[in-house]
Amino acid sequence: MVVPPPRRPLKLTNLLKPYVLKMHLTNKYVSAQVVHSPTATVASSASSQEKALRSTIGCTRDVAAASKIGKLLGERLLLKDIPAVSVFLERAQRYLGKVKAIIDSLREAGVKLL
């Protein structure tokens, strides 16, 4: 008789924190997106490369631009009824500068961070 291999239970983190904030910072632009991790789809995104933002931002790579992008992303998340987001910081990202500006402006917009 063949015994089937045991089934692994679902990861609890996929159930508790389905929306993950990911940020991409370059020397020219700042972008942030929220990914729905179980389906691997982008729920919402904001970038300093958008034509509507370029005229209002001025400089697309400083901390002020990062805070405006965080505020815009927070408004878009609340329009899609996403109240909470978990933050994913890559190895090179630390909680200061542009990263801090994005996260703080998300909090100010009303999005809870897990």
Side-chain angles (χ1 to χ4, degrees):
M1 177 176 213
V2 177
V3 177
R7 289 189 179 185
R8 292 184 182 174
L10 290 174
K11 289 185 178 180
L12 190 61
T13 56
N14 288 345
L15 301 174
L16 293 178
K17 302 177 184 178
Y19 293 101
V20 179
L21 171 69
K22 295 187 178 184
M23 295 168 276
H24 185 70
L25 310 169
T26 64
N27 290 333
K28 283 188 167 184
Y29 302 109
V30 177
S31 64
Q33 63 184 2
V34 175
V35 178
H36 186 250
S37 58
T39 59
T41 57
V42 176
S44 182
S45 66
S47 175
S48 61
Q49 293 178 342
E50 296 176 7
K51 287 186 179 181
L53 287 178
R54 279 191 191 176
S55 61
T56 60
I57 288 179
C59 184
T60 60
R61 60 184 176 196
D62 59 351
V63 176
S67 66
K68 287 183 182 180
I69 286 175
K71 182 178 178 183
L72 179 67
L73 183 63
E75 292 171 358
R76 289 179 181 176
L77 287 173
L78 293 177
L79 284 176
K80 289 190 174 186
D81 294 329
I82 301 173
V85 171
S86 63
V87 178
F88 175 75
L89 294 178
E90 294 179 8
R91 177 177 270 178
Q93 291 177 339
R94 296 205 171 103
Y95 184 72
L96 49 92
K98 296 176 193 175
V99 175
K100 183 178 179 183
I102 292 173
I103 292 173
D104 288 344
S105 59
L106 271 174
R107 278 192 196 123
E108 290 173 4
V111 178
K112 293 181 183 177
L113 298 176
L114 303 176

